[in-house]
Amino acid sequence: MAVVPQMQHSIESSISNIDVYEGDTETIIKHGENISVCAKFHIEIYGCQMNVYDAQRIAELLQFCGFEKAKCHEDADILIFYTCNIREKAAARLFSNINIFKNQKTKVVAVGGCVVQAEKENMFRHKAINIVFGPQVYHKLPEYIMDVINGKRDRIMDVGMPQMEKFKAIPVKQNVSYSEFVTIQEGCNNFCTYCIVPYTRGPECSRPAIDILHETKHLVENGAQEITLLGQNVNSYHGEAAYLGIGGKKTWDITRLLYEVAKILGIRRLRYVTSHPKDFNKELMTAHREIDVLVPFVHIPLQSGSNKILRLMNRGHTVEEYLDKLAMFRDIAPNIQFSSDFIVGFPQETDEDLQATIDAARMADYSFSYAFKYSPRKKTPASRMQDQIPEEEKEVRLAKLYAVLQESQLKYNQSIVGTIQETLFEKEGRRENQYVGKNVYLQSIVVEADESPIGKFMNVKITKATQNSVFGEIIQ
Ligand code: 5AD
Ligand code: SF4
């Protein structure tokens, strides 16, 4: 067991003591070299699927380098917090969680992810934090942890943005699950006026197609049956082509990538998330009809049903254009279903604007949707707009929209009663012998079974529907 010196931080230890790396691309970790410890780590994850993916990669890398996964946070020498700040007061919540999780055993506290990229050295306001690392440099974490453990440095910050470097620096995944994510692009150039992502994840950047094909093949060969291609804006994927083929295009778009990934033998379900409505074209819609394993389900966030608000949000389309796209999609791929995100209480939103959102949500007829209260983010143009809506009013509007979204969800759930749904089982349910899985539309389906179906596809006859779940019986 390595000797891990107890770090004594004081509130006075000033920010000038921090080793700052702003884009040092030279220091790539040489895996396994000089690292032979069995310190235990625990990762707390906040936020989106991209963060789950990043955190899984960090865990794999640390294990590869000789660190051990702690059974629980109480047992960890190294606490890692992987953060999100798309909404709410993320830094405050993080600081209070560090206080809750930290104990006598904790030797290193590392904080990564989007909050860090936005707050940078301000993170060291919390005296327990040793390492602050941005989402583009998590591959350097083992090296930084070792520096802290060996007492070389006690405060390290790296918020460099060497996009894509981390993908090359991390070994292939060992613990493969039946459902896996593969990041295909990161960052965003859309600059919706409410959104922090372009500032925290950087400009849009696509992984070369060959890397995506290799990673997916490895996952599928090792047991993954469902693959979700991930990105902040997957529809604008334009990665280096794996091979030129007819037409000799040097880059592939999302549609081409989907056709090629779908050829990997053994994939049962292929998904992608998340998309911007302006980037849906006819070819991509047709892919949903032609590719068997590509699910007939797409998350296409509308955000608001008012053209005035869409303009203020810089979304680049009108509500009419959006609804036309959904109609065209339904024409091309008749079994398609959609989900959406909405933001209520955006600056200058009136009751009429909210009503327009409610009307649009009804017309779009989603199988489910998410709705959020607008949350001003530092640096974003919307946070500086006039006529910010009071918090209590946002609550009222959220409840109004939510009621309508729930109606749609119940309608969809009821519509599948009596049908047979292919379900991939994921976890145990609340009751004994109960198991929960998802159909192609990401709807939760609950069954009772004597033998666990987790990790398997089963045909389920749907018998009952409620607001949030549907229930059925396995028929195979
Ligand atoms: N406030 C509220 N919701 C937001 N989202 C993104 N930024 C904000 C914000 N500042 C929502 C959008 C997006 C989803 C991932 O999070 O609806 O689609
Ligand atoms: Fe944010 Fe999505 Fe808009 Fe990009 S497209 S700025 S990630 S909301």
Side-chain angles (χ1 to χ4, degrees):
M1 180 81 179
V3 181
V4 183
Q6 181 70 47
M7 293 302 144
Q8 293 288 330
H9 293 305
S10 66
I11 223 150
E12 307 86 62
S13 68
S14 74
I15 285 167
S16 57
N17 289 338
I18 303 160
D19 288 295
V20 178
Y21 292 81
E22 288 253 13
D24 171 10
T25 55
E26 304 290 17
T27 335
I28 300 181
I29 177 83
K30 294 185 190 72
H31 298 302
E33 259 183 42
N34 304 325
I35 295 177
S36 59
V37 285
C38 41
K40 293 184 188 160
F41 68 90
H42 172 82
I43 311 184
E44 276 295 301
I45 314 167
Y46 307 87
C48 64
Q49 284 161 333
M50 181 80 85
N51 275 14
V52 175
Y53 175 88
D54 286 355
Q56 285 175 353
R57 308 270 309 203
I58 293 169
E60 291 263 335
L61 176 62
L62 290 174
Q63 283 168 297
F64 185 83
C65 292
F67 297 91
E68 210 181 298
K69 217 175 196 171
K71 286 201 179 67
C72 56
H73 69 85
E74 283 98 351
D75 191 34
D77 308 288
I78 304 158
L79 282 178
I80 301 165
F81 295 84
Y82 206 68
T83 62
C84 166
N85 68 340
I86 202 143
R87 292 174 290 273
E88 64 191 316
K89 297 178 178 66
R93 191 171 128 214
L94 169 71
F95 286 177
S96 97
N97 284 350
I98 292 177
N99 293 339
I100 295 167
F101 279 76
K102 202 177 166 306
N103 63 28
Q104 293 293 324
K105 209 169 179 293
T106 314
K107 309 296 188 297
V108 182
V109 175
V111 180
C114 293
V115 175
V116 161
Q117 203 67 42
E119 298 269 334
K120 299 189 174 159
E121 61 273 12
N122 290 334
M123 297 310 296
F124 289 108
R125 287 197 313 264
H126 196 298
K127 64 188 169 105
I129 295 177
N130 306 102
I131 303 166
V132 162
F133 62 104
Q136 303 301 351
V137 292
Y138 60 66
H139 54 296
K140 298 184 191 168
L141 193 57
E143 181 188 327
Y144 297 154
I145 291 176
M146 285 313 294
D147 280 359
V148 175
I149 286 178
N150 292 330
K152 272 200 205 157
R153 304 185 271 177
D154 76 348
R155 290 199 160 183
I156 302 170
M157 181 171 87
D158 186 349
V159 288
M161 287 253 199
Q163 280 180 309
M164 301 289 137
E165 184 183 290
K166 62 189 180 195
F167 292 110
K168 291 205 168 56
I170 287 189
V172 289
K173 202 164 189 230
Q174 298 299 311
N175 302 312
V176 178
S177 155
Y178 49 87
S179 179
E180 288 284 353
F181 301 122
V182 176
T183 293
I184 64 165
Q185 71 78 232
E186 266 196 67
C188 184
N189 296 344
N190 285 328
F191 288 92
C192 301
T193 55
Y194 52 80
C195 186
I196 191 77
V197 165
Y199 308 90
T200 55
R201 290 273 173 169
E204 191 187 292
C205 192
S206 301
R207 280 180 84 185
I210 193 78
D211 294 355
I212 296 165
L213 294 177
H214 276 149
E215 187 173 328
T216 311
K217 193 158 176 285
H218 163 80
L219 293 169
V220 173
E221 280 171 356
N222 286 280
Q225 305 190 59
E226 179 177 73
I227 296 287
T228 305
L229 304 181
L230 271 188
Q232 262 90 33
N233 198 8
V234 285
N235 290 40
S236 53
Y237 176 80
H238 56 278
E240 190 185 313
Y243 48 88
L244 298 185
I246 305 158
K249 289 214 175 116
K250 293 214 167 79
T251 58
W252 285 0
D253 62 6
I254 178 73
T255 309
R256 177 71 192 271
L257 185 70
L258 287 168
Y259 276 100
E260 298 291 339
V261 170
K263 286 182 194 159
I264 295 172
L265 228 58
I267 291 193
R268 295 272 304 262
R269 270 185 192 169
L270 181 57
R271 304 181 179 278
Y272 58 91
V273 68
T274 188
S275 305
H276 193 294
K278 73 178 167 48
D279 301 321
F280 270 97
N281 57 26
K282 221 172 166 180
E283 288 72 37
L284 181 52
M285 297 177 189
T286 310
H288 279 268
R289 190 183 61 209
E290 292 190 346
I291 303 176
D292 274 357
V293 295
L294 183 60
V295 294
F297 175 75
V298 192
H299 184 64
I300 314 185
L302 173 60
Q303 313 295 1
S304 169
S306 149
N307 285 335
K308 177 189 97 189
I309 298 295
L310 286 174
R311 212 168 29 250
L312 287 170
M313 287 178 165
N314 189 33
R315 290 291 286 173
H317 62 82
T318 63
V319 66
E320 292 77 17
E321 284 161 352
Y322 176 94
L323 291 171
D324 282 352
K325 273 207 174 159
L326 296 198
M328 187 171 157
F329 219 143
R330 286 181 167 123
D331 270 354
I332 293 175
N335 61 344
I336 198 94
Q337 296 278 352
F338 306 107
S339 63
S340 177
D341 292 337
F342 290 97
I343 298 177
V344 297
F346 190 81
Q348 297 172 40
E349 186 192 64
T350 60
D351 285 343
E352 289 73 46
D353 296 319
L354 180 71
Q355 189 55 48
T357 300
I358 289 173
D359 295 344
R362 284 214 169 99
M363 278 187 265
D365 198 17
Y366 302 107
S367 58
F368 69 88
S369 289
Y370 302 98
F372 310 104
K373 285 182 291 177
Y374 167 68
S375 164
R377 306 281 80 197
K378 257 196 257 169
K379 282 194 189 173
T380 59
S383 68
R384 299 186 295 272
M385 284 178 187
Q386 287 182 335
D387 301 327
Q388 299 278 333
I389 309 292
E391 230 16 65
E392 318 78 72
E393 180 57 26
K394 286 184 197 166
E395 289 282 355
V396 173
R397 292 185 191 181
L398 185 67
K400 274 191 191 157
L401 176 60
Y402 210 69
V404 174
L405 297 177
Q406 290 219 312
E407 267 173 34
S408 293
Q409 184 166 334
L410 182 62
K411 188 176 137 211
Y412 165 75
N413 288 354
Q414 285 171 340
S415 76
I416 61 169
V417 173
T419 64
I420 291 166
Q421 299 286 314
E422 189 187 52
T423 306
L424 176 56
F425 282 91
E426 294 179 344
K427 57 181 184 190
E428 289 178 1
R430 283 202 208 117
R431 302 222 189 104
E432 210 180 323
N433 292 342
Q434 221 180 35
Y435 297 93
V436 185
K438 296 255 167 69
N439 68 357
V440 281
Y441 302 114
L442 283 181
Q443 180 54 58
S444 289
I445 291 177
V446 184
V447 299
E448 283 189 5
D450 296 332
E451 216 178 289
S452 166
I454 293 176
K456 293 187 194 135
F457 282 94
M458 296 282 181
N459 280 333
V460 176
K461 173 106 191 259
I462 306 302
T463 50
K464 191 175 99 177
T466 63
Q467 186 66 66
N468 295 318
S469 299
V470 292
F471 298 83
E473 288 158 10
I474 293 176
I475 57 163
Q476 103 192 348

